[in-house]
Structures are given as structure tokens and as C-alpha cells.
Amino acid sequence: MDGNTCLLVERQGSAVWLTLHRPQAANALSRALVVALRQELAKLIAEPGLTALVLTGAAGKAFCAGADLKERLAMTLDETRSFLDELGGLTCDIEAFPLPVIAALSGAALGGGLEIALACDLRVAAESASLGLSEVRLGIIPGAGGTQRLARLCGVATAKELILTARRIDAATALALGVVSRVVPDVDLRDAVIRLCDELAAAGPLALAQAKLAVDEGFGKPLGEALAIERRCYEVVLGSDDRNEGLRAFAEKRAPRYRGK
Ligand code: COA
């Protein structure tokens, strides 16, 4: 099963769930799956009424076992280079997506699988989840942003410990280290993520986009520069219909009806 069937796309309220669907390969990232994900993200940017994306894995046993190592075996070095470009591009597409992207993790999230989760804004793990950047044991290094995003998320010392040992950590450890922000029982993962999506759906979509941008663009910059970025993002919402609707709805004691404009 590959091509379009390797990615399931499902609307759930105002969120879209993207399910990696290669159960025969622990949802590993084949070239076709990476291309399908990038194409879907490009389409979804223009989807009206969307408030969040969820990335998850089919069958619950694995979120994603990283790059497809069987496919990799048959690749030339140049083909591997272009795969790395595509996979790196996918993580940047996720990061730049103008709405929150949630990784719903159950089972293994390894190598490139964890790297795409690290590019998401929020990570919710089932108790069974097992996370790791296992590349050095394969004689390679994380090549889709893992060395950089894990260090930014958890600090350099934790990133080095996890990357250099290739250790697989359980969900509780991932929570303690800040790799995920929430752990729930396996059977509750879907409902917990739907509830999280509901919280996001109460916000103005334009505000979500600009808040995400302000955090991402400002992070790591000198404070003055970062505050200027926040101000620039505020300026976008200041002139919006959503801002007026938020104020009106508050005054009228009703739920706002945001249009993302
Ligand atoms: N690429 C291609 N196929 C993979 C894969 C990968 N990254 N990871 C797992 N698979 C395949 C297995 O080869 C197996 O196929 P088979 O039945 O034809 O032998 C199938 O997926 C199921 O995997 P299996 O190991 O039997 O299941 P499991 O539940 O015991 O373990 C994992 C699942 C993901 C924990 C384990 O397969 C694993 O550790 N995979 C390697 C992950 C890795 O190192 N990724 C880093 C890439 S940089």
C-alpha cells in the first residue's frame, strides 16, 4: 500500500487529522509518504475554517519508525540527499504551517518520526510511546532537524544525552525532559487530542497563526528584536475583523464567531 493510501486525511470538527498509514512498515517515512504529506500541507494552507492539524500514526503501535530503511538500502547517495532535502522540507513545512500542529504519539516515534514530531507545536503522548533519535546506532546522524530542534526544546545537555546515546525513552521520561507536553493513557489519546483541538478552536485562527509566528520567529533572538517581532505580529491581528468580533462578543456575553480575517 503506498501512493495516496499511505496518508489518511480526515476532518474532525475544525481540525484535520493526518494519519501516517503504512502499518506494514511501522508507518516509516517512504519517499511517497513524505511527498504526500508535503502536498497535503500545501493544500491545507488554503482550507477555510481550519483551526489545527493533527499528525498521528495508524494502528496505534507506532507513530512512525523514521525513514524507511528498506527503501534507503536501494537508494544511491544522490537519491538519499534528495530524500533528506524532502524530509527536511517537510519538517519546515510543519513548522511554518500557519496554525497549531499537534503530534499525537503512540508506540514508537523514532529517528525521522521523532523529528517530524519535534517540528510540531504540541506533542501529546500515549503512555506506551517510546521516543528516540536512534540514528547514531545506524552510523548516521539525525538529518531532518533533530539535532537543532531537540536542543532548542530541551537544552543542549539533554539533546546531546539523547542523541549521542540513541536512547529510547518512555513517555514519562519524555514528559519530564519536556520533549512532550502531556501524557495520557493509550485509550484516551484520541479524545485528549480532540479536546485540545476544541480548546484551539475557541481562538481566532488569525491570532493562532500570529501567536505561533511570534514565538517561533522571536525565539533565540535578542530580546529587543524578539519584542519587535511580537509587535509586528500584534499589528496583523489589530487590524482584523476577528479582533473586533472578539471585543463585540465579550461585550455581548456570547461566543465569538471568528472568520480568520
Ligand atoms: N523502515 C522500514 N521498515 C521498518 C522500519 C523502518 N524504519 N521500522 C520497522 N519496519 C518494519 C519491520 O522491518 C517490520 O517489517 P517485516 O514484518 O517485514 O519484518 C515491520 O515494520 C514491523 O516492525 P517490527 O520490528 O516487527 O515491529 P515491532 O512492533 O516489534 O517494533 C519498531 C517496531 C518501530 C520499534 C522497530 O521496528 C524498530 O526499532 N524499527 C527501527 C526504527 C529505527 O531505528 N528508525 C530510525 C531510522 S533513522
Side-chain angles (χ1 to χ4, degrees):
M1 185 181 295
D2 230 318
N4 288 334
T5 51
C6 61
L7 180 66
L8 307 180
V9 183
E10 175 201 354
R11 183 102 187 201
Q12 160 83 49
S14 58
V16 164
W17 286 59
L18 299 175
T19 302
L20 313 183
H21 185 254
R22 300 189 68 230
Q24 78 285 10
N27 302 322
L29 295 159
S30 61
R31 274 187 284 215
L33 178 51
V34 173
V35 168
L37 275 163
R38 295 196 76 185
Q39 284 174 346
E40 201 53 47
L41 288 172
K43 255 198 278 171
L44 288 169
I45 286 185
E47 175 101 353
L50 201 62
T51 49
L53 290 188
V54 180
L55 273 185
T56 195
K61 270 183 72 183
F63 170 69
C64 173
D68 187 318
L69 297 173
K70 294 175 186 164
E71 191 182 63
R72 176 69 56 89
L73 209 53
M75 282 184 192
T76 64
L77 289 187
D78 275 344
E79 284 167 345
T80 305
R81 287 186 184 102
S82 84
F83 177 83
L84 283 174
D85 288 345
E86 280 292 325
L87 186 55
L90 169 63
T91 61
C92 292
D93 292 348
I94 292 169
E95 207 160 50
F97 195 81
L99 284 171
V101 185
I102 303 165
L105 306 169
S106 66
L110 299 172
L114 180 53
E115 288 181 295
I116 59 174
L118 291 173
C120 293
D121 302 295
L122 303 163
R123 281 160 294 281
V124 181
E127 280 168 347
S128 72
S130 163
L131 287 70
L133 290 177
S134 31
E135 286 87 347
V136 294
R137 291 214 184 168
L138 293 163
I140 52 175
I141 71 167
T147 60
Q148 303 310 305
R149 293 196 179 96
L150 190 60
R152 280 166 172 71
L153 192 62
C154 308
V156 168
T158 297
K160 282 186 179 166
E161 169 109 14
L162 295 183
I163 292 167
L164 300 180
T165 62
R167 189 179 301 142
R168 295 183 185 189
I169 55 172
D170 62 18
T173 308
L175 182 65
L177 294 175
V179 183
V180 302
S181 56
R182 201 184 308 181
V183 177
V184 297
D186 287 24
V187 290
D188 295 340
L189 181 64
R190 191 175 170 88
D191 285 348
V193 173
I194 288 174
R195 282 196 301 277
L196 183 54
C197 289
D198 289 344
E199 284 184 71
L200 298 169
L206 205 59
L208 289 175
Q210 293 304 314
K212 170 172 171 169
L213 195 64
V215 174
D216 285 343
E217 294 240 313
F219 189 76
K221 300 237 169 40
L223 185 62
E225 221 177 293
L227 291 175
I229 290 168
E230 182 189 78
R231 184 70 179 76
R232 205 180 63 218
C233 293
Y234 199 110
E235 200 59 40
V236 177
V237 291
L238 191 57
S240 71
D241 292 349
D242 280 0
R243 182 250 186 192
N244 296 334
E245 168 62 8
L247 287 175
R248 261 197 315 269
F250 177 75
E252 293 166 12
K253 298 183 188 301
R254 60 170 174 81
R257 289 182 292 271
Y258 292 123
R259 296 186 306 141
K261 289 182 184 166

